[in-house]
Amino acid sequence: MGYDEPGRGGLSESASASPVTGAEAVLDEPETEPGRDRFGVYIVWETLLLLGFGALVYLVWREDPAMLRGSGLRNLIVDVVGLGLLALAAGLTLRTAAVNLAIGPVAVAAGLHFAEQSDRGVLATVGTATAVAAIGGLLLGLVVVLLHVPGWAASLGGAAGVIVYIEQRSAPVLVQGDYDPRGTAGQLFVGFAAIAVFGGLFGAVNPIRRLVGRFRPTADPARRRGAAAAVVVTGGYVCSTVLATLAGVLIASADQRVTPATGLDWTVLAVGATLLAGTSAFGLRGGVFGTLLVAGALGLFLGYAQARGWTVSLWAIGGAALAVGLVVTRMVETYGRPAEVVGVPAPPLAEPVSGGGWSVAQPQPVGDWPPVLPAQPAVGSTDPWGDRRWESSPRTWDVDDR
């Protein structure tokens, strides 16, 4: 049939001309977005973030130089690491295209648990909270991948369950233990920076990038994306809840008290910071140094506001970060997607092909059709179609009979 021949046009021709290999083989429908993402947009945006970070450092230095040295610097680092862990938790699930909106309530619940139980030992308390968070993240991930429902909806339900636990307390809780993270602020910052930067670098590798973002829909959002996507999304929920737990413990131990609250303002701030860092709201795409720079900038801004005596709501900061982050998402999706891939040109055809790809290209010219009859012999020659020779010549047996 005509559509089985190699000369036809259409999507199948382009797919057969460029076989799916390497990173593109990770996607279920690699032909929808083939090629390697462009990173120029991340370089430009992260350069702007670096300039903004430098401007905030200058403003803080002018307002309160003590904040950038000694104990003030250690306090600032602990705040930056706490915010950064929440941003990493949100960014990881955004990369998997299944955002976890329960990270803020999880951080508050972990802080309350640490404040109440830290006198029993830091490792035991943090280990218990981390194990519970991992189990909760696993259950949440299974709900998302088995039912194949949007992550924001499932995680919002999980956040409601965590808020019920938080509302069992009606007054602020003082931290019972004596752990002070400011003594190890440098090590904490190095660990956070290593996770953020190396995670971004691994995410820049195209096969890993496509695998992490495999859950991102390419056609029908309700279509299942395969076992690999399910494993990645479930792992993302487990890691994000653990990171949120560590952030809550760190913030509680630094403040020495935890006020019961829903924690959704922390969720908004974390998601806004992640979008502002260059992670796409649609999943899959993100930068390298953006999370580190945005976490540092937010910590500096909060310190600067405190030095100026401003009363700033986390809702306001998170909402502003979300607004700018949505613009960044549009920029990343527009200028970060792969460039159009130009296929290998097909060999020239003898005759133009029409009919929308259903005509069959002939490999070589064909002679006249119908075929021409043999040329007629000249007059006087023996007619090959006349009487048979044995009928027009003398018959031998007749002569013998005479």
Side-chain angles (χ1 to χ4, degrees):
M1 299 177 67
Y3 48 83
D4 292 328
E5 297 295 331
R8 75 179 183 92
L11 180 61
S12 298
E13 180 184 8
S14 60
S16 61
S18 55
V20 177
T21 58
E24 298 177 6
V26 181
L27 292 176
D28 290 342
E29 295 89 11
E31 68 276 2
T32 59
E33 202 171 45
R36 187 178 300 275
D37 287 349
R38 294 174 289 179
F39 276 85
V41 62
Y42 302 108
I43 296 175
V44 173
W45 180 244
E46 290 178 1
T47 301
L48 295 177
L49 290 177
L50 181 60
L51 294 176
F53 177 81
L56 284 171
V57 170
Y58 174 73
L59 292 175
V60 170
W61 178 262
R62 286 190 56 185
E63 187 67 29
D64 186 7
M67 191 181 300
L68 298 179
R69 58 173 178 257
S71 61
L73 180 59
R74 288 191 290 271
N75 290 332
L76 179 62
I77 288 177
V78 172
D79 292 339
V80 167
V81 173
L83 289 171
L85 290 176
L86 280 176
L88 282 177
L92 177 60
T93 53
L94 272 175
R95 281 287 192 102
T96 62
V99 64
N100 185 0
L101 299 182
I103 54 177
V106 167
V108 175
L112 288 171
H113 173 77
F114 178 79
E116 295 171 345
Q117 306 292 331
S118 57
D119 56 341
R120 299 182 179 180
V122 175
L123 293 179
T125 305
V126 175
T128 302
T130 301
V132 173
I135 294 174
L138 177 62
L139 295 177
L140 182 58
L142 291 177
V143 169
V144 171
V145 299
L146 292 180
L147 299 180
H148 197 75
V149 293
W152 65 266
S155 61
L156 197 59
V162 177
I163 292 173
V164 172
Y165 168 81
I166 296 173
E167 288 181 342
Q168 304 301 314
R169 288 86 175 164
S170 58
V173 179
L174 298 177
V175 177
Q176 303 300 312
D178 56 356
Y179 172 68
D180 188 359
R182 288 181 285 266
T184 57
Q187 293 88 330
L188 291 174
F189 180 78
V190 170
F192 158 67
I195 295 174
V197 174
F198 282 106
L201 289 175
F202 277 111
V205 179
N206 212 38
I208 299 177
R209 187 185 190 84
R210 296 295 182 93
L211 177 62
V212 171
R214 189 186 180 106
F215 199 72
R216 169 172 165 156
T218 59
D220 183 2
R223 179 182 176 185
R224 295 185 181 274
R225 301 293 291 151
V231 172
V232 170
V233 168
T234 304
Y237 276 115
V238 172
C239 293
S240 65
T241 52
V242 170
L243 288 173
T245 298
L246 297 177
V249 168
L250 193 61
I251 295 173
S253 58
D255 295 343
Q256 290 298 303
R257 59 180 294 171
V258 181
T259 301
T262 61
L264 292 176
D265 52 347
W266 287 104
T267 296
V268 173
L269 181 62
V271 175
T274 303
L275 295 179
L276 190 61
T279 303
S280 174
F282 296 103
L284 179 69
R285 298 188 171 94
V288 177
F289 299 97
T291 302
L292 180 62
L293 293 172
V294 169
L298 286 176
L300 286 170
F301 177 76
L302 291 174
Y304 179 74
Q306 183 179 5
R308 295 294 301 268
W310 297 346
T311 300
V312 182
S313 171
L314 292 181
W315 287 104
I317 301 175
L322 271 175
V324 180
L326 292 177
V327 177
V328 176
T329 288
R330 185 67 268 155
M331 179 181 65
V332 166
E333 290 293 330
T334 302
Y335 301 105
R337 67 179 56 186
E340 294 184 2
V341 179
V342 180
V344 179
L349 302 176
E351 297 292 337
V353 179
S354 60
W358 294 95
S359 299
V360 180
Q362 300 296 334
Q364 59 186 1
V366 180
D368 296 332
W369 184 261
V372 180
L373 294 175
Q376 297 295 329
V379 179
S381 61
T382 305
D383 185 3
W385 305 103
D387 296 335
R388 289 172 292 182
R389 183 177 303 175
W390 54 82
E391 293 180 355
S392 57
S393 60
R395 291 176 292 184
T396 306
W397 57 85
D398 294 336
V399 176
D400 294 339
D401 291 341
R402 289 197 301 265

